Amino acid sequence: MSSLLTAQNSLMLEGKILNDSIEVASITVVNINMRAGTVTNLDGVFEIPVRVNDTLNISAVQYESKRIIITPVIYKRMKLSLYLIPKLNELDEVVISNIDLTGDITKDLKAVPLKRFISPSSLGIPENAKPTMTVEERRVYSATAGAGPLGSLINAISGRTKMLKKHLKISKFKMMVEQNHQTFSDSTYMKSLNIPEDLIEDFVYYVFEDKKAVRLSNQGDTMAILDLMLQKSTAYLKRKESEGVLPNKSTNDD
């Protein structure tokens, strides 16, 4: 009965990565059975709740992943020290050519055999029309669907997926603002909206804090966006006056 009770109770295990390296911080440690996770501190130390027979998965970019089963001995001691195996990055195979080059490009081009580029369309295969993912989109994919069930679980528990999705959202917002910024010339902002040249970008961000601007951008309604900018320009200029960025017109008039 006591052994069964012990197996069901969770206690905090203190662990330490013993690798002689500065890269022992922020290593992900996940209790797969309890769906609990943590990361190591600067000294490679971590704490995580465990039960007997639970499995810990320890992973990092620079080390091979390691799984440890919590035995009764480890559970009783409540301490764990371990080494991780560094990952070895293998270089692509280097092919050394046996062609002697003269230095004369007109002659060397004839001596070097050229490989014909074969595209999907040349073989009658439909090409992938799916838009190329941005860096942020690739990172989110790698942390979720591309990481497999265990990898996606680890990333979710450690907060990496949430962080990457936040970065993706910010990146998309910046891209949308920049695209709409470039839709109109600087002279339009300066002459039609009275926005100083050095505040144009700040003004566009101000406009797109309004969800209506985001919706109009998604609809591709350029004229409606310009109309919204006209409505918001007065309030924006008054805010900049109150912040001391622009001179107060009423004071100057006096």
Side-chain angles (χ1 to χ4, degrees), residues 20 40 49 63 70 76 90 99-100 147 159 177 198 207 216 235 252:
D20 185 16
T40 57
Y63 297 113
I70 303 302
K76 184 177 180 180
E90 295 184 358
I99 299 175
D100 293 327
V177 171
D198 59 335
V207 171
L216 292 174
N252 290 343

Side-chain angles (χ1 to χ4, degrees), residues 180 183-184 208 212-229:
N180 283 278
T183 300
F184 309 105
F208 276 85
K212 182 179 179 180
V214 176
R215 185 175 69 254
L216 292 174
S217 177
N218 292 333
Q219 294 171 353
D221 197 336
T222 304
M223 296 310 299
I225 292 175
L226 181 58
D227 184 58
L228 182 63
M229 287 182 171

Side-chain angles (χ1 to χ4, degrees), residues 154-209:
I154 293 172
N155 290 326
I157 293 174
S158 66
R160 176 174 171 77
T161 299
K162 183 178 180 181
M163 177 193 70
L164 292 176
K165 286 184 176 179
K166 183 177 180 180
H167 287 180
L168 175 59
K169 184 177 180 181
I170 294 172
S171 173
K172 285 185 175 180
F173 179 74
K174 287 182 177 179
M175 188 181 300
M176 177 188 63
V177 171
E178 184 60 29
Q179 287 173 347
N180 283 278
H181 178 184
Q182 300 298 333
T183 300
F184 309 105
S185 64
D186 286 357
S187 61
T188 300
Y189 293 106
M190 296 165 66
K191 295 179 181 179
S192 301
L193 305 176
N194 297 319
I195 305 297
E197 185 176 6
D198 59 335
L199 292 178
I200 292 175
E201 185 176 7
D202 183 70
F203 170 68
V204 178
Y205 272 97
Y206 168 79
V207 171
F208 276 85
E209 288 175 359

